[in-house]
Structures are given as structure tokens and as C-alpha cells.
Amino acid sequence: MKVKRRIQKILFYLSSFIPLYLLLFIQNIQIRDNSGRFLAPKEFFSQFFQTSTSVSFFWLGLLMLSLLSLFGVFLFFLVYTKTEGRIGEIKDTEFVREDTLGYIVTYIVPLVTMDIQSNRSLVINFILFIIIGTFYVRNDQLFMNPLYNVFGYNVFSAENQIYITKISKSKLMIIAKRNLQVKKVNLVGDIYILTEHQQGRENPDDLYG
């Protein structure tokens, strides 16, 4: 079970870097030759294989990481968000929005600067990637994922728990104060995916009444 959870954490970590993979692809892909003409299909695909060892290693690594990260996306959006979970209440406390922008600036942006022509640059950035991943997995930082914000999720910390939810902060405070029930799905540790539980209300906005 521990091994399974560890693998899930690693997949979530890899998925948090999808913006990086996209930026690296755009930054390093070549679609025109030196004269400004679009590359022929054969020339376009040759840049991935018939080139220096460091460049080939970069593209192979980027492909593998991108494919593995899709499993993390699948786990969150198609497994955990669809899980039944349990119905319960949340404490009336201060909900603090977690700063995922800081995660992007601190960890993702510096890796964009790597020089794929340099073996040393690739090794250094790979080691940095492993160090960040170790911190991310061991400290259960799974809520730090820019994709959640892209797809409309908010990340709030409340006392000893972290909530990943599409519920706004104002509505979350009302739900807590009125002791209304929500559906909680445990992602890992004290991190939960939170959704509204209708409790017979046809319109979710009825709680404002």
C-alpha cells in the first residue's frame, strides 16, 4: 500500500510540471531552417534523433516525463474527483488560499533556462528536478499543482487540512458556519478534494438564502 501511495505521489509531482514540459517543447522545437522556410517532415523529426547525445537524451526524457505525468492527470481528474468519498462537515475557521504561483516562479521557471546542448546543464537540472521531487513527495505537497488552478480549482488550507475545491472561499465560509455537509475525498494525508453535497437543495446557490 505504501509503495502504491508513493507511486501516486510521484505521478502527481510529475503532472505538476506539465507547464514546464510545454514551455521546454515550445522553446526548443525547431520548425524552420536557417533560411526561414518550414522544415520538411523528415528534417523535422530528425532533430529528435539524428543530433547530439545531449539533445536526444533531452527529447527522450521530455517524452517519458510527459507520458508519465498524464497518469497523474488521470488519477486526479478521472479517479479521485469521481470517487464517492464521505459526507461530513468542515470546521468554521480561516481558509487561507495557497500560493501556487510561487511554486511556478520558484521551481518551474528556473528549469526553463536549461541548455539542452550541454550535458552539464542537463545533469544539473535533472538533479534539481530530483531534489524538488523528493521535497514534494516526502512533505505531501501534492496540492501545489498549477493544473488545478487552470481547471478552476482553488487550494485552501484550514487548520491541519488542505482542501482542493471548486467552491469559492466565500461559499466555503458559509458552508462551514451553517454546518452544511460536503463531500470529502482523501487524496493523501490531510489533503482532500472537496465538493458540495446538495442535501436536497435543487440549486446550490440556495445556501445564500
Side-chain angles (χ1 to χ4, degrees):
M1 187 65 178
K2 288 185 178 180
V3 174
K4 180 181 177 182
R5 296 295 278 180
R6 180 63 60 88
I7 292 175
Q8 289 180 348
K9 290 180 183 182
I10 292 173
L11 292 177
F12 285 132
Y13 169 65
L14 295 179
S15 71
S16 73
F17 275 86
I18 285 181
L20 173 67
Y21 309 148
L22 180 60
L23 290 173
L24 287 174
F25 178 81
I26 295 173
Q27 177 176 280
N28 294 286
I29 195 70
Q30 185 179 356
I31 59 174
R32 296 175 183 269
D33 59 21
N34 294 331
S35 61
R37 293 178 300 179
F38 284 103
L39 295 175
K42 183 178 180 180
E43 295 173 322
F44 176 80
F45 288 106
S46 67
Q47 70 182 297
F48 303 115
F49 309 105
Q50 299 175 9
T51 183
S52 66
T53 303
S54 63
V55 175
S56 296
F57 179 79
F58 165 78
W59 286 117
L60 178 61
L62 187 62
L63 175 63
M64 292 177 61
L65 290 174
S66 298
L67 292 176
L68 288 172
S69 68
L70 293 179
F71 287 100
V73 174
F74 174 82
L75 273 175
F76 182 84
F77 291 101
L78 298 179
V79 177
Y80 279 99
T81 60
K82 307 298 181 183
T83 301
E84 288 298 323
R86 61 184 178 86
I87 306 301
E89 299 176 354
I90 54 177
K91 292 182 178 181
D92 183 10
T93 184
E94 178 66 23
F95 296 97
V96 180
R97 190 184 300 272
E98 291 294 331
D99 181 22
T100 51
L101 178 61
Y103 181 77
I104 296 175
V105 174
T106 305
Y107 299 122
I108 295 182
V109 173
L111 291 171
V112 178
T113 61
M114 73 173 70
D115 178 11
I116 67 172
Q117 300 285 348
S118 167
N119 289 326
R120 177 177 294 182
S121 177
L122 290 180
V123 170
I124 291 174
N125 280 280
F126 178 72
I127 293 173
L128 176 61
F129 189 79
I130 296 298
I131 292 173
I132 296 171
T134 302
F135 165 80
Y136 188 98
V137 171
R138 288 187 177 179
N139 293 282
D140 290 340
Q141 299 290 302
L142 280 63
F143 57 91
M144 287 296 185
N145 193 323
L147 288 184
Y148 302 157
N149 298 109
V150 170
F151 286 93
Y153 285 88
N154 303 301
V155 181
F156 298 108
S157 60
E159 292 190 345
N160 296 322
Q161 295 187 339
I162 302 290
Y163 298 131
I164 303 173
T165 179
K166 286 189 175 182
I167 306 174
S168 66
K169 181 177 180 179
S170 59
K171 184 178 288 189
L172 208 57
M173 292 174 67
I174 293 175
I175 290 174
K177 287 181 179 179
R178 297 188 179 181
N179 295 320
L180 299 176
Q181 292 184 324
V182 292
K183 186 179 79 170
K184 301 170 71 174
V185 177
N186 182 243
L187 193 62
V188 65
D190 295 320
I191 304 174
Y192 295 87
I193 301 173
L194 212 64
T195 54
E196 290 186 63
H197 180 56
Q198 300 303 320
Q199 306 176 105
R201 290 181 284 115
E202 294 183 2
N203 185 354
D205 294 329
D206 288 346
L207 62 86
Y208 288 109

